[in-house]
């Protein structure tokens, strides 16, 4: 990553922190007038199991990436633009803003970041497409299958356990202590992200099936061609 890119990412950390440090309390006070009456200890560190500073750093790095990626999408919309990516980034930034400014829900925030384990395979697919690798290429096929498997494991298969943990908090004192603003940001962003992940999983599965079908067709054709050649060669030498 070049110095210019590092500067933009680092600047986004600071800008995002300042933005939500000012906007979050105003929004929370507007939605819940009693928010300002709560002591500072009630605003932070719910379900953190300790100091959430490392989680907040992890989330800050993620937010920096999301902001920088939104900038790249805006500047190169004709070639890179994708409305689903924009929705994904905005939903994540909306929820992570509360993690950074109020320190709430760090466990759930970090749990959601497990999904990014599939990102290297998604990015590699983009490089293969940019370099015009044929879809039947062995590396493209292997990467596509790995992407589909990992995407399912870290984004789809974890949904039941995650939502069981979320539902278990409903009605508890800790959940009520979050306030309406954080509750809405938490639940709506997770629902939106899981809908997007389901749509992407469908597209990835369909694409993976097509690539495997093409690869299998080429393989069958290659295996059949020696027989055809042999038959043709024999016919050329018949009396």
């Amino acid at each position: 990553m070049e110095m210019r890119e590092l500067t933009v990412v680092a600047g986004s950390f600071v800008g995002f922190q300042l933005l939500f440090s000012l906007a979050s309390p105003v929004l929370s006070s507007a939605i819940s007038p009693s928010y300002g009456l709560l002591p500072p200890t009630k605003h932070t560190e719910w379900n953190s199991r300790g100091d959430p500073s490392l989680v907040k750093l992890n989330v800050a790095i993620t937010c920096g990436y999301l902001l920088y990626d939104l900038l790249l999408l805006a500047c190169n919309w004709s070639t890179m633009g994708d409305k689903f990516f924009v929705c994904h980034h905005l939903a994540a930034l909306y929820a992570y803003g509360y993690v950074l400014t109020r320190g709430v829900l760090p466990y759930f925030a970090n749990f959601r970041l497990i999904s990014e384990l599939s990102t290297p395979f998604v990015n590699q697919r983009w490089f293969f497409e940019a370099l015009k690798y044929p879809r039947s290429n062995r590396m493209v096929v292997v990467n596509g299958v790995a992407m589909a498997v990992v995407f399912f494991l870290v984004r789809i298969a974890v949904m039941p356990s995650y939502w069981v943990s979320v539902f278990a908090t409903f009605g508890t004192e800790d959940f009520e202590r979050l306030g309406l603003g954080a509750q809405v940001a938490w639940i709506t962003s997770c629902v939106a992200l899981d809908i997007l992940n389901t749509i992407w999983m469908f597209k990835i599965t369909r694409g993976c099936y097509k690539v495997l079908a093409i690869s299998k067709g080429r393989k069958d054709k290659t295996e059949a061609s020696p027989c055809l050649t042999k038959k043709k060669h024999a016919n050329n030498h018949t009396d």
Side-chain angles (χ1 to χ4, degrees):
M1 186 178 290
E2 298 179 357
M3 183 59 65
R4 177 180 61 85
E5 296 171 325
L6 286 173
T7 302
V8 173
V9 174
S12 68
F13 297 163
V14 178
F16 194 76
Q17 287 271 22
L18 291 175
L19 173 63
F20 271 89
S21 295
L22 298 174
S24 178
V26 174
L27 178 62
S28 298
S29 298
I31 295 175
S32 302
S34 59
Y35 174 82
L37 301 177
L38 295 174
T41 55
K42 294 294 185 180
H43 294 171
T44 59
E45 299 184 15
W46 177 58
N47 200 7
S48 63
R49 296 192 175 95
D51 182 9
S53 57
L54 289 178
V55 176
K56 291 174 69 175
L57 175 62
N58 194 23
V59 170
I61 293 173
T62 302
C63 290
Y65 163 76
L66 294 174
L67 287 170
Y68 185 65
D69 202 42
L70 282 175
L71 178 62
L72 286 179
L73 290 173
C75 294
N76 304 276
W77 187 258
S78 59
T79 56
M80 299 173 58
D82 190 314
K83 59 181 182 295
F84 289 123
F85 282 168
V86 174
C87 293
H88 171 274
H89 291 4
L90 292 178
L93 288 170
Y94 175 42
Y96 285 153
Y98 282 90
V99 181
L100 292 179
T101 58
R102 292 176 50 188
V104 296
L105 303 169
Y107 167 78
F108 292 101
N110 234 24
F111 190 98
R112 298 296 306 196
L113 286 177
I114 294 175
S115 63
E116 297 307 323
L117 291 174
S118 63
T119 301
F121 301 101
V122 177
N123 288 345
Q124 186 59 49
R125 183 190 64 171
W126 183 88
F127 283 116
F128 283 141
E129 290 181 355
L131 294 172
K132 301 187 184 305
Y133 274 62
R135 290 191 174 185
S136 58
N137 184 280
R138 184 181 298 274
M139 291 189 296
V140 176
V141 173
V142 170
N143 181 75
V145 173
M147 179 181 67
V149 172
V150 175
F151 195 98
F152 173 79
L153 291 176
V154 301
R155 292 179 183 252
I156 305 300
V158 297
M159 283 185 189
S161 62
Y162 176 78
W163 283 106
V164 166
S165 299
V166 172
F167 291 145
T169 68
F170 287 2
T172 64
E173 181 182 351
D174 287 332
F175 183 79
E176 297 300 326
R177 198 170 66 198
L178 283 174
L180 184 60
Q183 291 170 359
V184 171
W186 179 23
I187 303 303
T188 57
S189 63
C190 289
V191 170
L193 291 173
D194 283 343
I195 291 175
L196 287 173
N197 286 332
T198 303
I199 293 173
W200 282 330
M201 186 74 252
F202 172 75
K203 291 184 175 183
I204 289 173
T205 302
R206 184 176 59 182
C208 186
Y209 175 79
K210 289 181 179 180
V211 169
L212 289 175
I214 293 174
S215 179
K216 185 177 184 302
R218 288 180 179 271
K219 183 179 179 181
D220 293 342
K221 186 176 180 180
T222 302
E223 290 176 350
S225 59
C227 298
L228 294 175
T229 303
K230 183 177 180 180
K231 184 178 180 181
K232 183 178 180 181
H233 181 74
N235 288 338
N236 288 339
H237 289 80
T238 54
D239 294 332

